[in-house]
Amino acid sequence: MRNREHEIYDVVGIGFGPSNLSLAIALEEYAASGPGNEMSAVFFERQSSFGWHRNMLLPSATMQISFLKDLVTFRNPTSSFSFIAFLHASGRLPRFVNNQDFFPTRQEFHQYLEWAQARVADRVVYGSEVTSIRQPSSTATSPDRLLLEVTDATGRAGRVIEARNVVISTGLVPSMPAGTERDERVWHSSEFLEKYRRTDPRELRRVAVAGAGQSAAEITRFLYDDLPHAQVFAAVPSYGYSVADDTPFANQIFDPGAVDDYYFGTEQTRGAFWRYHRNTNYSVVDGDVIRELYRRSYDEDVHGVSRLEFLNLTMVTGVKRVGTETRVSLQSGPDAEVRELNVDVLVCATGYDAMEPTGLLGDLDRFCLRDEAGRYRVERDYRIVTSPESRCGIYLQGGTEHTHGLTSSLLSNIAVRSGEIVDSIVARRTA
Ligand code: FDA
Ligand code: NAP
């Protein structure tokens, strides 16, 4: 990182996943586009090195979007940070094309993200968590500045950074079933591989996975294949996994133009987005994964084996520890009958809540305006609407589903969104 600890930054990014990585590149490319365009920027990331949902980097998991929706291409198709540029640099471009597949593995896409972040790493401070954002004590003297408190990996309260704009991109928040706490035998999917690698596989004779989304299906498939001695239970709230709609017309909701249609639409049109197209992303599974799981289940029938058990119309409603066993309460069937299942591990692939910046904003939150439903009001340029006492830019990358639509938590629009944020910062700087 450049030695700018005591300087005021034009842009401070909180979190360094794909969204803010895309922003760092957009800033870099803007700086290179003309004299005087350089903006000072720093990004804080609490992980010790770059990682994108590392605990779900399962061997055969593939991307859920085309590789062309990378960090840059939709904003700048000639960027040297594209997935194609990465393939070229890795010497794999011809072979990738021979694959004739729009959807690389998550492991390969992770390599791409690592390659890209290495080229902007001088702006990133890893192992650093932003714990609060506040207004300087005298807003009268500096209403256009914010102070950020940053703690290092040891928990030592460290630096206070001044920013003209902050871009919050802290990611999704894991959600557990009500009445369920995480521990060494009850895991959320977001911690799956880390916990799994710490456990002796011989101890895993009966494992259960809760959920009917992509994470649940991938983990069920993985456990079934990796633990040939184990009984695998899949508690799915639906009658069976439903397919993620990625057909061309439905996929248009992820186009950059759909953000305007959503943002400037009516309550009615916004409602239609959700009513018709929630199944492009939530509680749904890629068709190939569904077929692979069904094939395994059918093969068991053929061979008279019963190691994979789907518990349909079933919710996890609680967990307790009994000796070394984990006792899971399951509610299922038309009478909502409750029964118990003893397992060695329960994996809750029960989804995520949206990014929630309220904790970070602390006292500053009172300057941030909300709608009638209590949600942040957000400008089209992703800036929280603030009262006149605060003139800084507080931008959100994530947590804007209510204003900008389904792409808020996804990769589909990060290239364009980052460009729009840079344009907004530039426009406000020169206004
Ligand atoms: P992301 O969560 O990636 O990054 C946020 C970062 O902020 C984290 O690195 C975190 O450590 C850091 N952080 C949090 N609080 C902090 C603080 N206070 N201070 C400092 N750092 C902090 N979408 C899609 O379009 N296509 C896909 O294929 C997939 N695949 C996929 C797989 C899995 C397993 C999941 C769970 C999700 C997806 N997604 C997806 C959706 C996913 O939200 C998306 O891919 C990106 O992770 C969004 O990137 P962000 O940078 O916004 O968040
Ligand atoms: P999700 O789609 O929100 O699915 C969560 C599932 O858990 C739903 O089926 C939900 O049921 C169920 N559930 C909630 N509470 C439950 C309970 N108490 N008992 C049983 N089931 C319960 O979450 P996700 O699968 O983690 O996916 C989140 C995001 O990550 C999506 O964007 C997805 O595409 C992405 N992802 C991508 C990949 C990849 O790229 N390969 C891999 C994994 C995830 P209800 O529907 O009834 O609420």
Side-chain angles (χ1 to χ4, degrees), residues 14 17 51 66 69 80 83 104 126 145 157 189 193 202 245 255 308 317 340 347 353 355 368 376 413 415 419 421:
I14 306 176
S66 161
K69 292 187 175 178
S80 70
F83 188 75
Y126 286 104
R145 308 241 175 109
S189 54
L193 279 177
R202 289 168 304 185
D245 185 351
D255 290 354
L308 180 57
T317 53
E340 291 184 326
V347 186
D353 294 324
M355 182 179 100
C368 301
Y376 289 113
N413 198 42
I421 291 175

Side-chain angles (χ1 to χ4, degrees), residues 14-19 44-47 52-53 56 63-65 106 128-130 169-172 352 409-412:
I14 306 176
F16 202 66
S19 298
F44 293 100
E45 166 55 52
R46 69 177 169 206
Q47 296 184 84
W52 175 57
H53 303 301
M56 282 295 292
M63 292 300 292
Q64 304 243 277
I65 48 161
R106 287 200 60 237
S128 289
E129 177 165 357
V130 176
S169 182
T170 50
L172 297 164
Y352 296 81
S409 69
L410 300 175
L411 301 179
S412 323

Side-chain angles (χ1 to χ4, degrees), residues 52 120 241-242 380:
W52 175 57
V120 291
Y241 303 106
S242 287
R380 174 61 184 82

Side-chain angles (χ1 to χ4, degrees), residues 52-53 56 58 60-65 104-106 172 175-178 180 188-190 209-218 221 235-238 241 244 278 280-286 289 314-318 329-331 348-352 409-411:
W52 175 57
H53 303 301
M56 282 295 292
L58 300 170
S60 49
T62 56
M63 292 300 292
Q64 304 243 277
I65 48 161
T105 61
R106 287 200 60 237
L172 297 164
S175 164
M176 292 290 284
T180 312
H188 186 265
S189 54
S190 58
V209 182
Q214 184 70 21
S215 299
E218 287 184 5
R221 178 181 61 177
V236 296
S238 51
Y241 303 106
R278 191 178 187 276
T280 52
N281 185 47
Y282 290 107
S283 310
V284 286
V285 181
D286 176 64
V289 180
T314 299
M315 299 288 286
V316 167
T317 53
S329 299
L330 300 172
Q331 196 168 41
C348 296
T350 44
Y352 296 81
S409 69
L410 300 175
L411 301 179

Side-chain angles (χ1 to χ4, degrees), residues 317-352:
T317 53
V319 185
K320 62 181 175 227
R321 174 64 42 78
V322 181
T324 56
E325 296 234 292
T326 298
R327 187 165 293 170
V328 185
S329 299
L330 300 172
Q331 196 168 41
S332 54
D335 309 323
E337 174 198 338
V338 178
R339 67 178 175 114
E340 291 184 326
L341 180 74
N342 286 339
V343 294
D344 301 309
V345 155
L346 168 69
V347 186
C348 296
T350 44
Y352 296 81

